[in-house]
Amino acid sequence: MTAASPARQFSSGAKILIPPRTRQEVFLAKPTNNQYTVEVEPGASLLLVLSSLPSVFNLQASVAQDSSLTVVVAFKTKAATKFFSYIRLVGRGAKVKEQTALVASQGAEIYVENVFEHLAPQTFGRVVSRRVQADNSAGEFWGLLKVSPQATGTDTYLSDKALLIGDKARATSVPKLEILTDEVKASHGTAVGKLSPEELFYLQSRGLDRLAAEKLLTTAFLEPALAGLSPRLRGLIGY
Amino acid sequence: MAKSDLKIGSRYEYGFHDKLRPVYAIPPGLSARVVEEISAVKNEPGWMRQLRLKALELFKTAALPTWGADLGGINFDGICYYLKPSARRAETWDDVPARIKNTFTKLGIPQAEAKLLAGVGAQYDSEAVYHNLKAEWQHQGVIFLDMDEGLRRHPEIVKQYFGTVVPLKDNKFASLNSAVWSGGSFVYVPQGVHVTIPLQAYFRLNARNMGQFERTLIVAEEGSFVHYVEGCTAPVYAVDSLHCAVVEIIAKPYARVRYTTIQNWSNNVYNLVTKRAVAYEGSVVEWVDGNFGSKVTMKYPCVVMKERGARADVLSLAFAGPGQHQDAGAKAIHLASDTSSNIVSKSVSRGGGRTSYRGLIKVAPQAMNIRSKVRCDALLLDGDSRSDTYPTMQIDSNDVSMEHEATVSKVGEEQLFYLRSRGLTEAEAAALIVAGFIEPVAKELPMEFALELNRLIELEMEGSVG
């Protein structure tokens, strides 16, 4: 099991700075750098969408007072990919959503590490991870929601679901909570399973062939991790 | 070690200790000589002595775990590894020395006896001094002895199973236990026998600087049923002591074994226990595990489902007060098809206490049709306390339905307000809410234990609000 790494300090890499009280959408079809630092200044908002990742990708973000950050990572891969994200909610009322929709096939090994550190009062965090593991792919998700003593009134939740389609597909999930204040709503839920035979049967009884039925159910499975995206962005990322 | 922590224990209900003079004590410290002496004093067969020495070597080379609670405060050389309280083994209650009896009276043992509980195996210091098994079970072939006696009378069964579930090199503390074990229970239930009344053992640490290393082995033959209950209370001492037990359960096909523990260690005890069961075809293993007190508890009852259709049920309860860290959880290892596991964990932290849930669900590649459900709820009673959840789900088979959920919350203002409006004080209201929170565990306990649990909660909750 890979352990969580503390704050990563990047010496190089790309930087995205969102000035106070501005609103931006950033779409990266092919990130050129493998490390990004994001700063969302007070009252600002950023939607960051990534539709592919290099084999190792680091994202470090800091979210200031009353600002919001939404990260959507959606891609299909046949190659090993590691995605590390470390997000600090440093200002009162900071809001972060991180959504990952991944489809891994062939022998791809996927590792996703996701840390939210709530450092200020009234912060809000949501992690929605949906992973489809096809063929003999393997996926590991490692998530930590950390609520510091001063982060009172925090509302944070992590959800990780893996759908095992391949005969030799494997999934590991390690969701963690570290809660150091009582004024908090913190929870997580994870599930690992396969496609429901009843649902497949139902769709087939309505005239879909097996493959189409599987495709439809897989799309529905990924949907929560794509919620909130405009049709234009969905078109861009190919969902 | 912060000495101030120990003041907290001054309210501890069972915080008395008798002036007990052990008949035989080996000086503190650990060496091959000490291990050989323990084995010699007990007149053990050679293979057990060899096993102890081998375990000692493994203990010396093993490292402390790099994860989990802080174990830096344990001084292995300051611990007394064996102590025999009474030269003669008591056969009936009347034979038990008055001073020891007095301690049991305070713990309510004779009442339990009066309630027709099973044989009361009470452990006073390292060795059971009192054992009583109901005649009808003896007739059925049920064996319920302390482990030393079990080894003496049934060496063939002990040799067959000892160390097969928890190997000597499993972890540092299992090695230590294997090297210096003393006391604990030995339960053997023959094929098809249902032990209807729980077998019960009371454990008690009662010597300054005394580590307790009991070893429990339960073998349930095909189609049998047994419920083993243990409760632990320890008096308060100023020197850190170590409780390091190993429990091994073997559930043969279609057997059902339930193991219930309510532990209430004093606030200076390191409670490091390895509990594991192997479940064969269609068998059911249930751990009900309540952890109170202690300075540090690390305990993760485990069920290894080796054959088709086995089932694991774990109910875990942890309560951490000031200066305490309860690192508890459960492990379910699915090695065969059609196996299922259900884990419910409830934890309460107050006054700066820390509870951690640490768990593992593992599904082997060839295992099909697996169901597993884990639910962890944590209650934080104040802003100084801490709650962690560290689960790991490792699924290597695709025919699985696995769910895990965890929540952390505090006592609801509305609930408190409502109860206070009905005339309860804030402390009473908080205690009632906590009792409701842990109810799913409490209702699985035998009645006397549920009552004791409620008393403990009230005690632990004293002064926790306001």
Side-chain angles (χ1 to χ4, degrees), chain B residues 14-196:
Chain B
Y14 305 134
F16 54 86
H17 78 273
D18 291 338
K19 286 202 188 82
L20 180 81
R21 286 184 201 290
V23 213
Y24 192 93
I26 287 170
L30 187 56
S31 65
R33 213 179 58 81
V34 167
V35 169
E36 281 185 357
E37 223 172 310
I38 292 173
S39 192
V41 166
K42 293 167 179 285
N43 267 329
E44 286 176 353
W47 63 267
M48 180 55 83
R49 190 166 49 92
Q50 291 306 323
L51 183 149
R52 285 179 184 271
L53 288 168
K54 200 173 148 202
L56 177 69
E57 286 310 307
L58 292 164
F59 166 73
K60 283 184 187 158
T61 51
L64 283 170
T66 50
W67 43 274
D70 177 15
L71 302 174
I74 304 175
N75 172 15
F76 289 105
D77 293 327
I79 292 163
C80 190
Y81 287 92
Y82 181 70
L83 181 79
K84 192 176 180 180
S86 162
R88 198 164 51 90
R89 176 163 300 276
E91 286 297 330
T92 69
W93 181 246
D94 290 335
D95 293 341
V96 175
R99 186 179 288 162
I100 291 176
K101 221 186 230 173
N102 191 21
T103 310
F104 285 145
T105 310
K106 288 178 200 163
L107 290 173
I109 296 256
Q111 285 91 319
E113 171 87 355
K115 282 176 200 154
L116 275 179
L117 281 168
V120 174
Q123 178 159 4
Y124 196 73
D125 282 335
S126 297
E127 213 167 329
V129 289
Y130 176 57
H131 255 303
N132 187 6
L133 180 63
K134 291 284 168 248
E136 71 250 43
W137 291 330
Q138 225 153 11
H139 182 66
Q140 286 175 317
V142 174
I143 303 168
F144 179 32
L145 296 168
D146 75 80
M147 196 65 209
D148 295 334
E149 189 78 21
L151 176 61
R152 255 193 302 279
R153 289 208 217 162
H154 305 278
E156 68 301 337
I157 307 179
V158 175
K159 193 174 177 182
Q160 188 183 348
Y161 296 105
F162 195 97
T164 57
V165 182
V166 179
L168 303 185
K169 61 168 188 287
D170 192 76
N171 63 71
K172 191 174 178 74
F173 297 101
S175 303
L176 177 62
N177 176 281
S178 303
V180 300
W181 69 268
S182 217
S185 292
F186 173 62
V187 177
Y188 178 85
V189 187
Q191 193 173 342
V193 171
H194 278 237
V195 183
T196 45

Side-chain angles (χ1 to χ4, degrees), chain B residues 140-429:
Chain B
Q140 286 175 317
V142 174
I143 303 168
F144 179 32
L145 296 168
D146 75 80
M147 196 65 209
D148 295 334
E149 189 78 21
L151 176 61
R152 255 193 302 279
R153 289 208 217 162
H154 305 278
E156 68 301 337
I157 307 179
V158 175
K159 193 174 177 182
Q160 188 183 348
Y161 296 105
F162 195 97
T164 57
V165 182
V166 179
L168 303 185
K169 61 168 188 287
D170 192 76
N171 63 71
K172 191 174 178 74
F173 297 101
S175 303
L176 177 62
N177 176 281
S178 303
V180 300
W181 69 268
S182 217
S185 292
F186 173 62
V187 177
Y188 178 85
V189 187
Q191 193 173 342
V193 171
H194 278 237
V195 183
T196 45
I197 298 171
L199 299 177
Q200 191 167 331
Y202 262 85
F203 291 78
R204 184 172 168 75
L205 279 177
N206 196 350
R208 192 183 168 81
N209 224 354
M210 177 54 202
Q212 189 143 341
F213 304 92
E214 83 265 26
R215 182 86 185 198
T216 292
L217 174 64
I218 298 177
V219 181
E221 290 288 354
E222 200 167 330
S224 64
F225 166 70
V226 66
H227 183 186
Y228 178 82
V229 182
E230 72 173 358
C232 297
T233 54
V236 174
Y237 285 130
V239 181
D240 288 339
S241 47
L242 175 64
H243 174 249
C244 173
V246 170
V247 178
E248 296 179 287
I249 294 180
I250 293 112
K252 294 284 181 71
Y254 304 99
R256 180 172 160 222
V257 180
R258 170 174 272 219
Y259 192 107
T260 299
T261 315
I262 296 294
Q263 289 188 315
N264 179 23
W265 299 108
S266 64
N267 297 346
N268 58 328
V269 173
Y270 284 87
N271 183 29
L272 311 165
V273 178
T274 309
K275 286 181 161 178
R276 195 173 304 154
V278 172
Y280 291 92
E281 186 177 336
S283 64
V284 180
V285 175
E286 298 160 296
W287 294 105
V288 180
D289 201 46
N291 299 298
F292 287 80
S294 84
K295 181 193 190 74
V296 168
T297 290
M298 284 174 81
K299 181 151 47 119
Y300 324 98
C302 172
V303 184
V304 181
M305 286 159 275
K306 261 196 175 161
E307 288 182 355
R308 190 176 210 95
R311 204 177 90 203
D313 252 306
V314 185
L315 285 169
S316 169
L317 171 67
F319 194 113
Q324 298 175 347
H325 185 183
Q326 304 278 7
D327 201 286
K331 295 185 197 174
I333 318 283
H334 296 263
L335 298 180
S337 296
D338 305 316
T339 51
S340 61
S341 59
N342 190 16
I343 296 168
V344 176
S345 158
K346 298 267 179 185
S347 68
V348 182
S349 323
R350 75 159 197 94
R354 177 175 173 194
T355 53
S356 307
Y357 172 83
R358 198 179 296 277
L360 173 69
I361 300 290
K362 195 172 170 148
V363 180
Q366 71 282 7
M368 294 294 150
N369 188 25
I370 305 298
R371 293 191 171 275
S372 173
K373 202 163 181 231
V374 182
R375 161 125 218 117
C376 311
D377 292 324
L379 192 62
L380 286 166
L381 295 180
D382 51 58
D384 302 329
S385 303
R386 169 171 180 172
S387 168
D388 311 306
T389 312
Y390 303 115
T392 299
M393 272 74 67
Q394 202 183 329
I395 315 295
D396 292 343
S397 155
N398 73 339
D399 191 2
V400 168
S401 158
M402 190 282 304
E403 283 171 65
H404 168 100
E405 270 179 87
T407 60
V408 179
S409 56
K410 63 173 209 156
V411 173
E413 298 284 346
E414 298 84 0
Q415 294 171 346
L416 271 180
F417 178 80
Y418 174 79
L419 289 172
R420 293 184 68 195
S421 78
R422 311 298 283 185
L424 273 69
T425 65
E426 193 158 0
E428 285 167 347

Side-chain angles (χ1 to χ4, degrees), chain A residues 33-222:
Chain A
N33 232 303
N34 62 3
Q35 45 202 41
Y36 273 74
T37 309
V38 174
E39 269 179 47
V40 189
E41 302 212 313
S45 130
L46 169 66
L47 169 63
L48 176 64
V49 182
L50 297 148
S51 67
S52 75
L53 290 183
S55 59
V56 178
F57 186 77
N58 277 288
L59 173 72
Q60 190 175 22
S62 139
V63 185
Q65 185 173 346
D66 297 322
S67 65
S68 95
L69 168 66
T70 303
V71 180
V72 180
V73 181
F75 67 96
K76 299 182 172 94
T77 185
K78 291 176 176 130
T81 309
K82 285 185 174 175
F83 172 43
F84 299 87
S85 117
Y86 182 83
I87 297 175
R88 299 163 77 228
L89 296 90
V90 295
R92 174 184 285 271
K95 204 171 160 182
V96 175
K97 276 192 230 168
E98 179 146 343
Q99 302 170 199
T100 48
L102 310 177
V103 180
S105 55
Q106 295 184 4
E109 293 199 2
I110 310 291
Y111 178 79
V112 176
E113 186 176 308
N114 198 321
V115 181
F116 278 9
E117 200 171 356
H118 293 265
L119 294 162
Q122 313 293 336
T123 49
F124 177 92
R126 287 289 178 273
V127 179
V128 182
S129 153
R130 293 291 180 272
R131 309 179 268 151
V132 177
Q133 304 284 154
D135 305 330
N136 56 341
S137 66
E140 180 169 347
F141 176 88
W142 195 104
L144 171 64
L145 303 177
K146 197 167 174 176
V147 180
S148 66
Q150 67 273 24
T152 52
T154 287
D155 176 349
T156 187
Y157 176 69
L158 178 153
S159 160
D160 170 47
K161 288 189 184 177
L163 181 62
L164 301 175
I165 292 191
D167 288 338
K168 294 233 159 79
R170 290 160 291 154
T172 299
S173 183
V174 186
K176 305 193 176 193
L177 294 170
E178 287 186 358
I179 314 296
L180 284 83
T181 176
D182 66 330
E183 285 284 345
V184 68
K185 258 176 81 179
S187 55
H188 64 220
T190 68
V192 178
K194 52 174 187 170
L195 287 174
S196 142
E198 290 84 2
E199 288 170 8
L200 278 173
F201 176 79
Y202 175 79
L203 290 175
Q204 284 173 281
S205 79
R206 310 298 281 184
L208 273 71
D209 64 35
R210 172 96 189 179
L211 212 65
E214 280 182 6
K215 200 153 187 284
L216 191 62
L217 288 175
T218 308
T219 308
F221 170 80
L222 290 170

